[in-house]
Amino acid sequence: MNNLDITGLDWNLLWKQAKSKKTWKSKKAADWDKKALSFAKRTATSIYIDRFIELLNPQPEWSLLDAGCGPGTLALPLASQVRKVSGIDFSKKMLEILAQKAAEQGLDNIRLHHCSWEDNWQHHGIAPHDVAVASRSLAVVDLKAALVKLTAHARIKVVITDRVGHGPFDPDAFAAINRPLSTGPDYIYTINLLYQMGYLPKIDYIELEKEVPYADEEEALQGYLWMFRDLEAGEKKLLKNYLHSITTFNRDGSVTVKRSSPPIWAFISWTPVNS
Ligand SMILES: C[S@@+](CC[C@H](N)C(=O)[O-])C[C@H]1O[C@@H](n2cnc3c(N)ncnc32)[C@H](O)[C@@H]1O
């Protein structure tokens, strides 16, 4: 039997290597700009929000930093539960949607910073907060650098959510159009890296809905198209057929899509003091 030893493993390097093999390349700010509206719509009613907030257990006195805040999936509901929220995102469109919704909801304790993970946050006036959160937003080149940075910006707690396995991608949809799916490193790398960095990460899991409601088949298709790049006409037809096969048609004209493997997110938290 081989004499295996995990102590010499460099989990950040393993993560980078696994990331370089994934079929789906990370999106740039302009890509997120284009997807901002549909993303905001898709996530606004997801059970992810309630489950995340329940696990976070926000306290009224907290200041909270939300890195990769997107259209305010969490920043908006959390703003009414904590003292103040700072949101960071490199997509201007995402921040515009967040700002508009905050105004509509009369929230005046959210500050937004248009910058990226890689920018110098100090130069953007971003100081440490009580709690630092990165929800589904660790789209970075260097995971360790991002974790170090986020931890340095938290006094009480750091929370991230990371993919479990395929995450939000539907493997059956990829199989249906005969495309390989390799989504890259998931939370197991992150957990091991945090352990190596001297933290004691806690893990919970957020399992999303198996059945997702859409206004109609076209909206359901839009809810799937983001998973693929450069879809050819033949592939789109196969995708439509697959979606049709997992769709139930409701009396009011709406549809329900039932996927066999719903997304699971690992909710990972740790205290920002090296043990
Ligand atoms: C999947 S969305 C998550 C949004 C929100 N946190 C949520 O859980 O719904 C990822 C967000 O991270 C942002 N993002 C991705 N890479 C980034 C980077 N390098 N710097 C800053 N923001 C980034 C995107 O613009 C997008 O708004």
Side-chain angles (χ1 to χ4, degrees):
M1 202 177 94
N2 285 340
N3 190 12
L4 298 175
D5 176 13
I6 66 158
T7 52
L9 292 180
D10 179 337
W11 282 96
N12 202 35
L13 187 59
L14 285 170
W15 182 88
K16 284 182 186 173
Q17 284 177 352
K19 195 167 190 253
S20 70
K21 288 187 198 127
K22 75 176 190 176
T23 45
W24 204 83
K25 297 296 166 211
S26 292
K27 291 199 276 279
K28 298 191 169 46
D31 300 317
W32 279 111
D33 280 345
K34 275 186 227 141
K35 293 184 187 295
L37 266 178
S38 59
F39 181 84
K41 199 169 171 207
R42 218 173 42 243
T43 50
T45 54
S46 171
I47 54 169
Y48 178 84
I49 301 170
D50 285 350
R51 187 82 180 106
F52 186 104
I53 293 177
E54 182 189 320
L55 290 167
L56 179 68
N57 189 20
Q59 301 299 307
E61 68 277 11
W62 279 359
S63 62
L64 187 135
L65 182 66
D66 185 357
C69 58
T73 315
L74 296 163
L76 291 164
L78 282 171
S80 54
Q81 302 184 45
V82 301
R83 186 165 51 84
K84 67 168 189 174
V85 175
S86 302
I88 297 174
D89 208 290
F90 71 171
S91 158
K92 212 166 178 208
K93 185 73 190 158
M94 289 283 190
L95 295 179
E96 279 169 15
I97 295 172
L98 201 169
Q100 192 188 332
K101 286 190 179 171
E104 282 164 13
Q105 295 172 27
L107 296 165
D108 60 2
N109 61 342
I110 305 179
R111 199 167 158 208
L112 299 178
H113 302 270
H114 183 216
C115 65
S116 77
W117 273 104
E118 296 76 22
D119 286 338
N120 184 324
W121 288 1
Q122 230 179 336
H123 289 174
H124 285 267
I126 303 163
H129 288 53
D130 293 322
V131 174
V133 163
S135 158
R136 309 187 283 196
S137 64
L138 276 165
V140 292
V141 184
D142 187 330
L143 178 63
K144 187 173 181 184
L147 295 174
V148 166
K149 192 169 191 166
L150 198 64
T151 307
H153 283 80
R155 286 185 286 266
I156 298 174
K157 182 153 79 167
V158 190
V159 176
I160 59 170
T161 47
D162 205 354
R163 279 187 305 102
V164 176
H166 55 75
F169 298 90
D170 182 351
D172 292 339
F174 280 76
I177 71 162
N178 303 312
R179 271 204 193 187
L181 172 64
S182 166
T183 49
D186 76 349
Y187 80 112
I188 282 299
Y189 292 77
T190 315
I191 289 295
N192 282 285
L193 178 56
L194 284 166
Y195 170 77
Q196 270 185 346
M197 288 164 71
Y199 299 109
L200 296 173
K202 291 183 194 145
I203 318 173
D204 279 288
Y205 296 95
I206 301 178
E207 193 166 340
L208 299 197
E209 306 90 333
K210 258 201 165 108
E211 298 188 2
V212 184
Y214 293 98
D216 50 34
E217 265 196 298
E218 180 52 34
E219 194 183 272
L221 180 65
Q222 294 305 322
Y224 262 73
L225 283 178
W226 68 267
M227 296 181 199
F228 306 96
R229 282 235 167 116
D230 310 321
L231 215 54
E232 287 166 13
E235 291 177 314
K236 197 167 177 181
K237 198 168 171 218
L238 289 173
L239 178 64
K240 277 185 176 174
N241 290 346
Y242 162 70
L243 267 175
H244 194 77
S245 74
I246 58 166
T247 296
T248 308
F249 295 84
N250 306 316
R251 281 190 178 176
D252 62 358
S254 67
V255 300
T256 306
V257 171
K258 186 173 181 178
R259 56 188 272 188
S260 64
S261 45
I264 302 174
W265 292 94
F267 179 101
I268 305 169
S269 61
W270 65 98
T271 44
V273 183
N274 273 43
S275 52

